[in-house]
Amino acid sequence: MAVGVLLAAAPSHGQTFDPRYPVCMHVYSGANGGGGEWYDCSFTSLPQCRATASGRAATCDLNPYYPFTAPPRPRHRRSG
């Protein structure tokens, strides 16, 4: 039981999504490729990812672990 507690408390190093990049490419190499599927989260934009994914069995999506923050709305001051 003590080993189970230690393993459960250990940090996980196999995170699929890299939180440093906002876009991930999901690559499918399935039955013919034999390599399964994986995520490549090394893209800074959807167009960049789509250009790389072109002609491949892959899709591009926003990284769910990227810390997107909305830019603050500009405040308009009225002088008058």
Side-chain angles (χ1 to χ4, degrees):
M1 184 161 165
V3 172
V5 171
L6 289 174
L7 289 176
S12 175
H13 296 288
Q15 184 171 347
T16 302
F17 299 95
D18 186 344
R20 295 176 295 172
Y21 295 96
V23 180
C24 296
M25 178 173 59
H26 187 181
V27 181
Y28 308 93
S29 62
N32 294 337
E37 57 187 70
W38 70 91
Y39 290 89
D40 177 2
C41 296
S42 61
F43 301 96
T44 56
S45 69
L46 281 170
Q48 178 193 32
C49 179
R50 289 178 181 146
T52 304
S54 179
R56 300 172 70 179
T59 59
C60 296
D61 294 304
L62 295 178
N63 184 345
Y65 295 100
Y66 183 77
F68 288 101
T69 55
R73 290 184 145 188
R75 293 185 181 184
H76 298 284
R77 294 185 183 185
R78 294 185 181 185
S79 58

